[in-house]
Amino acid sequence: MPRREKSPNKSRGRERARSKSASRTKSSPTKSPSRRPVTRSRSRTPSRPAKTSSAAEVVIQEVNQVAPTPRTPSRPKSRSPSRAAQKETVVTKRTVVTSVVSSSSGQEQAAHTPVRSSSRIASLIEKEKEASYLIKEQMKSEMITNMKTPPPSAPKKKEKGPHYEFMGPIGAFLLIFLLPATVYYVNMACRKTKCSILIVPSLPRNFVAAFFDTEACLIFFGWMAFQALLAVLPVGRLVDGQPLKSGGKLKYRCNGFLALVVSLAGLGVAVYLKLPVTKVVDKFFKLMTVATIFSFAFSICLYVSSHFVSSKKLAPGGNSGNFIYDFFIGRELNPRVGPLDLKFFCELRPGLIGWVMMDWIMVLKAYQETGTFPPNLVLVTVFQTLYVADALWFEDAILTTMDIIHDGFGFMLCFGDLVWVPFLYSLQPRFLLESGFTLPWYCLAPIVVINLIGYMIFRLSNSQKNLFRKDPKHPVFSGMETVPTQTGRKLLASGWWGICHKPNYLGDLIMALAWSLTTGFGHIFTYFYPLYFLVLLIHRERRDNEQCAAKYGASWERYCQRVKYRIFPYIY
Ligand SMILES: NC(=O)C1=CN([C@@H]2O[C@H](COP(=O)(O)OP(=O)(O)OC[C@H]3O[C@@H](n4cnc5c(N)ncnc54)[C@H](OP(=O)(O)O)[C@@H]3O)[C@@H](O)[C@H]2O)C=CC1
Ligand SMILES: CC(C)CCC[C@@H](C)[C@H]1CC=C2C3=C(CC[C@@]21C)[C@@]1(C)CC[C@H](O)C(C)(C)[C@@H]1CC3
């Protein structure tokens, strides 16, 4: 295949070739098959040694002959950035052209035998059609590449404003107040007898005493310090993060599962020693207030300190220049204090482990109050413990999530990790503790099944993708459909990832539903978690979809054509 230089005229040349090729396909091919250059070029050179090439390549060769790209003779030989970009485009082109949907078993078709029969001709026509499709794909991908790397001579595009998410600064401003208000409202509306949106929470007379005390401060900061200490212990694997914009990779200490075990064991010891651990539940609202104030203060510190780091350390999305928006989304990607990575720590340790601790303390309190272990309270606590234990066992998988790679560490994640997760995700157990609501075993059995199904989908799909990212050549992927991309990475288009774009979200949502089912059907707010989660995951899927479209261009489109549904097969 002749090497071709990229030039501004190239696309036009190829467009011409494409229309010629298309018109050839349209004109009755059986009548004049020998006029097609594919046939001609091969029958003219019968003595050429047989070289295996794909049908698409053959047609590309043919296109090159029909419409040779005008060369730019005076182009300097030195490897300028634009030239490097051109080379990259050539490589991209080849990747996309050679196989669009390939099979890992490597069964790519090779066609280079002289045309002898009409069936052969028909098959070549088929291939030509395919190749013409591939050319289209290639052009799309090229357009995307060109969009990313404009030639130096191209006129400068009008600067676009920052790309905002969450409805921009106004959305961010509203969320900064709405999120804390929601946590308070939902928890205050969930009382002993009812958990309903219709209950307007009444504010206590002595507001400060009801929502704040120094003991709660001590518990909160003691807990944070204890978890931070466990996180920096030189125990557990040191795992490399994803490559950074600034080059290199950060290292992360992964000992989260150990931290969970130590924390739960510590709780066991405290109970054995008859320490007043149920104070934590009694001071639920006070702890929530301390955590909320801390989140605001911490996010302000993060915002201020982000102005003292190099621009390479900033998150791609949180550097818009708008104070409110950047404060909410977070400016710095991976803020660290000594060995402690603040975002990684907050996302997995104090909030997540704190949530499970709170659940078990509620079980203990229920036992102290009633002398029994309410089965549905125990069940939902076991489910949530399994969920958190899973997250910490597969701790390093979080290093590839958009929170760690893409989002900065600002108010959204800070508040989400330290307040939203522990104080809202524990709503069902808190309701069960307060209301004493129970369910018979024949209602609990199907809930166990639903949770297990959800967990299986969540875990197996996450593990399949993680393994595929680590070792795409692993034997389990042989025979599975994949979509190659111009980045060199492939997208898995069968197995769990051939059912819908986010099988892991589907499993997560099924589990969320199972947790709420333990509270029966009488109280809408105990379904707050699955409802909010549905909105969060639909929004998150769309954000990820945008990011993948930007990353993978035409290949992502191809993947979306192959895998039609986003989260719910046959529905959405
Ligand atoms: N409990 C909670 O509150 C929350 C839980 N979660 C859970 O966290 C988990 C991780 O979620 P999240 O990080 O959002 O999303 P994913 O785990 O789905 O990761 C998305 C990334 O995976 C890669 N990818 C997407 N499709 C494919 C494919 N077909 N083949 C190979 N790679 C693909 C892409 O990255 P690349 O190509 O660069 O590898 C993409 O950016 C989920 O299970 C979710 O349910 C998430 C948010 C909140
Ligand atoms: C309050 C806002 C509207 C949104 C806040 C979002 C955060 C609560 C979530 C963003 C991503 C999260 C993840 C988990 C918990 C919730 C947050 C912080 C996660 C740690 C839960 C356990 C999973 O197994 C996981 C895959 C490790 C999750 C990663 C993302």
Side-chain angles (χ1 to χ4, degrees), residues 10-45:
K10 191 180 71 178
S11 302
R12 252 179 283 138
R14 191 169 298 122
E15 188 70 74
R16 246 184 290 137
R18 203 161 54 94
S19 57
K20 280 195 183 183
S21 161
S23 64
R24 273 196 311 277
T25 317
K26 272 188 213 151
S27 68
S28 171
T30 39
K31 275 186 192 159
S32 56
S34 60
R35 285 171 69 189
R36 293 188 308 118
V38 162
T39 321
R40 238 189 309 146
S41 67
R42 284 192 209 138
S43 52
R44 264 189 203 161
T45 55

Side-chain angles (χ1 to χ4, degrees), residues 184-202 431 522-525:
Y184 276 89
Y185 191 89
V186 171
N187 274 302
M188 288 169 75
C190 228
R191 304 247 189 85
K192 281 202 186 319
T193 47
K194 249 192 151 52
C195 199
S196 160
I197 194 164
L198 299 175
I199 296 180
V200 180
S202 51
F431 168 74
H523 313 277
I524 182 71
F525 263 10

Side-chain angles (χ1 to χ4, degrees), residues 387 425 469 489 492 502 505 508 540 544 551-552:
Y387 186 69
Y425 286 24
R469 277 286 167 255
R489 276 179 154 195
L492 198 52
K502 297 284 184 194
Y505 287 9
D508 220 338
R540 202 172 159 95
D544 192 45
K551 216 176 345 179
Y552 299 126

